[in-house]
Amino acid sequence: MRDFVKLFKALSDETRIRILKVLLERECCVCEVMQALTISQSRASRNLGILEDAGLIKSKRDGLWIVYSIDEQRMKSYTAPLIELLRSSLVNDEMLLQDRERLSHAVRICSKAMPK
Amino acid sequence: MRDFVKLFKALSDETRIRILKVLLERECCVCEVMQALTISQSRASRNLGILEDAGLIKSKRDGLWIVYSIDEQRMKSYTAPLIELLRSSLVNDEMLLQDRERLSHAVRICSKAMPK
DNA sequence: TACCTGTATGCATATATTCGAATATATGGA
DNA sequence: TCCATATATTCGAATATATGCATACAGGTA
């Protein structure tokens, strides 16, 4: 039986919803997510891990970076309606506008870009 | 903006998933839910309330009883894919088989039927 | 090897959630 | 009005979750 509880738990957090919406725009490495949402590195990493563990996103290594993206393979199965649900809510999402704006200026090198 | 977090929080609990699946079978009053799942009265009432607050189910009074049911009106909007997701998982659900069996014997009068 | 950098994780803490037991509320009948 | 009963709510304890800080880990480079 599919683990609905784990799936919905992963979705029941505002930070993770924001991350998913940003990932619907394009794939991101951890440092881009933290810049887009202006959250800490550990917070970004941990929440990305929870989303991945729930099967909503996947990761691949690209040099020093770990790049996360919506798991299109799974989307075709049971997570598809969930992703569609998120997609349908992208309009008039003020928070997403800000996250997207910051993402457009995000760079892959964090330490210098984000002294904090 | 739709309150996804509240919606998914409501779904991220095994008791509430079981309740939803039972309600997909047929509408139930609180005491039928508690008998079907063999849970306490306060637990049944509280979790039904959470599901209702999230907009997944609705309630109507029938004499002494409050009867809960899937909110078909909302199903047509954004909760539809969620309900479909649940429906698709009804097969091979061992727990549901048991809940359903107990529901078939449930009666509307609790105090005598469930001395506990 | 040694070092730098991006990411993951262990730990402590603040907050949130869940539950049972007890109590409050609401409806219907005598 | 008074009582019985179905449901809702409050309270406290146990447990789970989210986060920051510090540190460990891993890949790239010299």
Side-chain angles (χ1 to χ4, degrees):
Chain A
M1 171 187 160
R2 296 156 179 168
D3 198 348
F4 281 130
V5 174
K6 175 187 277 190
L7 180 64
F8 291 131
K9 266 192 201 303
L11 289 163
S12 61
D13 179 272
E14 173 153 22
T15 300
R16 292 193 285 272
I17 295 289
R18 285 173 68 196
I19 290 177
L20 278 179
K21 288 181 178 179
V22 163
L23 288 182
L24 282 174
E25 299 284 312
R26 67 166 170 86
E27 60 178 29
C28 295
C29 65
V30 177
C31 64
E32 286 172 324
V33 168
M34 60 186 282
Q35 288 172 82
L37 309 204
T38 55
I39 59 179
S40 73
Q41 184 270 323
S42 72
R43 186 172 168 186
S45 172
R46 228 184 292 264
N47 282 302
L48 282 163
I50 290 172
L51 288 171
E52 183 175 29
D53 189 49
L56 287 160
I57 64 178
K58 62 182 177 184
S59 64
K60 66 180 180 200
R61 181 172 280 280
D62 177 14
L64 278 178
W65 299 278
I66 310 286
V67 181
Y68 287 90
S69 57
I70 301 288
D71 194 336
E72 301 284 344
Q73 206 60 33
R74 296 230 188 184
M75 271 188 55
K76 288 169 192 152
S77 63
Y78 67 100
T79 60
L82 299 176
I83 300 295
E84 281 314 305
L85 196 60
L86 287 178
R87 271 198 212 284
S88 70
S89 75
L90 296 184
V91 282
N92 298 328
D93 187 330
E94 192 56 42
M95 180 67 88
L96 176 60
L97 285 181
Q98 297 174 30
D99 292 344
R100 199 185 293 172
E101 166 67 13
R102 284 186 294 250
L103 177 60
S104 69
H105 299 131
V107 290
R108 282 216 167 173
I109 311 289
C110 301
S111 18
K112 298 294 167 52
M114 296 195 72
K116 172 187 169 240
Chain B
M1 169 185 161
R2 296 155 179 168
D3 199 350
F4 281 130
V5 174
K6 176 187 276 189
L7 179 65
F8 291 131
K9 266 192 201 304
L11 290 163
S12 61
D13 179 272
E14 173 154 21
T15 301
R16 292 193 286 272
I17 295 289
R18 287 172 68 196
I19 291 177
L20 279 179
K21 288 181 178 179
V22 163
L23 289 182
L24 282 174
E25 300 284 312
R26 67 168 171 84
E27 61 177 29
C28 294
C29 66
V30 177
C31 63
E32 286 172 325
V33 168
M34 60 186 282
Q35 289 171 81
L37 310 206
T38 55
I39 59 179
S40 72
Q41 185 269 325
S42 73
R43 187 172 169 185
S45 173
R46 205 176 320 113
N47 283 302
L48 282 164
I50 290 172
L51 288 171
E52 182 174 30
D53 189 49
L56 286 160
I57 64 177
K58 61 183 177 183
S59 64
K60 67 181 179 198
R61 181 172 280 279
D62 177 14
L64 279 179
W65 299 279
I66 308 285
V67 181
Y68 287 92
S69 56
I70 300 288
D71 194 335
E72 301 285 343
Q73 206 59 33
R74 296 231 188 183
M75 271 189 57
K76 287 168 194 153
S77 63
Y78 69 100
T79 61
L82 298 176
I83 300 296
E84 281 314 304
L85 196 60
L86 287 178
R87 271 197 212 286
S88 69
S89 75
L90 295 184
V91 282
N92 299 326
D93 187 329
E94 192 57 41
M95 180 67 89
L96 176 61
L97 286 181
Q98 298 174 30
D99 291 344
R100 198 185 293 172
E101 166 67 13
R102 285 186 293 251
L103 176 60
S104 68
H105 300 132
V107 290
R108 282 217 168 174
I109 310 290
C110 303
S111 17
K112 299 294 167 52
M114 298 194 71
K116 173 187 168 241

